[in-house]
Amino acid sequence: MNLKAMFITSVLVYISISLPAILGIGYVIDWVPEATWYQKFIEYLIEGLLNNILIKTIIASLVGIVVSLVIPKRRYSK
């Protein structure tokens, strides 16, 4: 099992699953008029990454494990 491939794949899958929430799709945050662009960006980023964290972590881990098990088999099958 390739741990590097598993870790990189898990991180990429987690970020791609979080992307719609990071972009603000599916929920609305009420902002005060004085909120800066940076404050809004950080809040959307944090909210997107932490929204449904358990489900996203399980999915990303499973995909990472599958990819890390498939990659070595593909190298030797040629």
Side-chain angles (χ1 to χ4, degrees):
M1 185 157 84
N2 190 351
L3 293 177
K4 183 178 175 182
M6 183 181 87
F7 181 73
I8 291 172
T9 304
S10 296
V11 169
L12 290 176
V13 168
Y14 188 87
I15 291 172
S16 65
I17 292 172
S18 299
L19 198 60
I22 291 172
L23 296 175
I25 298 171
Y27 64 93
V28 176
I29 298 176
D30 292 329
W31 295 103
V32 293
E34 295 86 20
T36 64
W37 181 85
Y38 179 73
Q39 290 171 330
K40 291 179 183 181
F41 173 75
I42 294 299
E43 186 62 32
Y44 276 121
L45 182 67
I46 292 171
E47 182 68 27
L49 291 174
L50 296 180
N51 190 13
N52 294 327
I53 190 168
L54 182 62
I55 296 169
K56 288 190 272 188
T57 304
I58 292 171
I59 292 171
S61 299
L62 289 174
V63 171
I65 290 170
V66 168
V67 167
S68 69
L69 291 174
V70 169
I71 286 178
K73 292 181 182 179
R74 294 189 80 200
R75 287 184 187 162
Y76 297 120
S77 65
K78 290 182 180 180

